[in-house]
Structures are given as C-alpha cells and as structure tokens.
Amino acid sequence: VVNHFGLEGEVDIEIGSLSKAFSVMGGFIAAKQPLIDTYLMGARQRLFSIALTIPDTAALIEAVDMLAESEDLVSKLWSNVEYLNKGFSDLGFDTGNSETPIIPIMLGDEDLARAFSARLFEEGVFASAICYPMVPKGTARVRVITSASFSKEDCDKGLAAFAKVKQELM
C-alpha cells in the first residue's frame, strides 16, 4: 500500500497480511526497532500467535525472490485487475473504490452476499461473502482476490459465473 500510493519514508509502521499477497498464513509488522519492541511487549493479539511454518516461510521467500527478479507478475496482476474491473462494470456491478487487487462486489444485503458466494462456489468461483461485523450493516459484498496466475480464460469464466448468478439471484 505504501509503495502503491508513493508514501515510502512517510509511514512509521506497516502491517500486512501474507495470505492475500503471497498465499501463505501469517502477517508482518515493519517499523523501526523501538516501535517493534513496544508492540512485542504490549500487544494482546500477539499472545496466541505462533511463528510461520517452515513451508510457509519457504513459499514466502520464493515469492519475494520471484518478485525481485521481474516486474512481469506485478504487471500481469494489474492487467487482470483492470480486465476484471471492466468486466464487472460491464455486468452492472458496483465495485466500490478499491485501488488494490481485491475487488469488492457491493451487494448491500447480507443474505444476498452469502447466497451469491455459495452459488459462485457451485460454479467453480471462490469469492468470500463479507458481512457485518467485518463491514458496516447494509454494505455486504463478495470479495474477489485477483491473481497474476489467472489467464484471460480464467477471468472470463469468473465473469460468466458472476453474470449467471446475478441473473438467478438479483
């Protein structure tokens, strides 16, 4: 996020999830040592956390190495995001204001979001329902996490599933 918005050197602490960007379990905090020490000594949410597993760590290191070698995967990711955003817009979906590879399909109603997610899964598309309390009431959505590994055919299959489920449920 800091890089995307050109804020390098402006942010004192960064936290992140490894599950979305790198498809491994875990998260991170990056900051100057005094801030990290304060967190390590006082953060209650750290009480039940554990270290990354060896396979997750190996996968993460390999993913970072791959990204350091080439911009191709990042370019492909953003190309897929642009393609899917246009496709969702053409289908009449509200995708909110996301500037990330995570595309929210705003549905509003929680029951609709859950049903939409379940039907998409039956069509071979995984898009999680995000409902209260994760988001305010009345802003339920399904969340599409775009990947550089998607082919155009994968994107088209996903868009076709969204069109089909929309016709059935909306």
Side-chain angles (χ1 to χ4, degrees), residues 17 27 32 40 60 65 71 79 104 119 135 142 144:
S17 166
K32 292 182 180 171
L40 292 174
L60 178 60
D65 287 346
E71 293 280 325
S79 174
R119 277 294 294 121
V135 294
V142 292
V144 176

Side-chain angles (χ1 to χ4, degrees), residues 78-131:
W78 286 109
S79 174
N80 284 345
V81 169
E82 184 178 314
Y83 186 82
L84 287 171
N85 269 322
K86 181 181 182 322
F88 288 129
S89 178
D90 290 349
L91 291 171
F93 286 108
D94 175 3
T95 57
N97 298 317
S98 177
E99 293 187 39
T100 75
I102 300 171
I103 302 171
I105 306 301
M106 308 302 290
L107 298 173
D109 182 77
E110 293 182 14
D111 291 334
L112 175 60
R114 287 185 192 98
F116 213 101
S117 175
R119 277 294 294 121
L120 286 170
F121 190 75
E122 291 170 4
E123 294 295 321
V125 174
F126 182 73
S128 301
I130 308 297
C131 301

Side-chain angles (χ1 to χ4, degrees), residues 13-16 27-32 35-36 39-40 43 45-46:
I13 188 166
E14 287 189 64
I15 59 171
F28 67 89
I29 292 180
K32 292 182 180 171
L35 281 172
I36 292 172
Y39 171 75
L40 292 174
Q45 60 269 46
R46 196 174 168 280

Side-chain angles (χ1 to χ4, degrees), residues 10 15 39 43-44 52 58 61 72 99 117 135 139 143 151 168:
E10 308 268 334
I15 59 171
Y39 171 75
R44 288 184 294 157
L52 292 173
I61 290 169
D72 291 348
E99 293 187 39
S117 175
V135 294
T139 65
R143 179 177 67 190
S151 66
E168 291 174 10

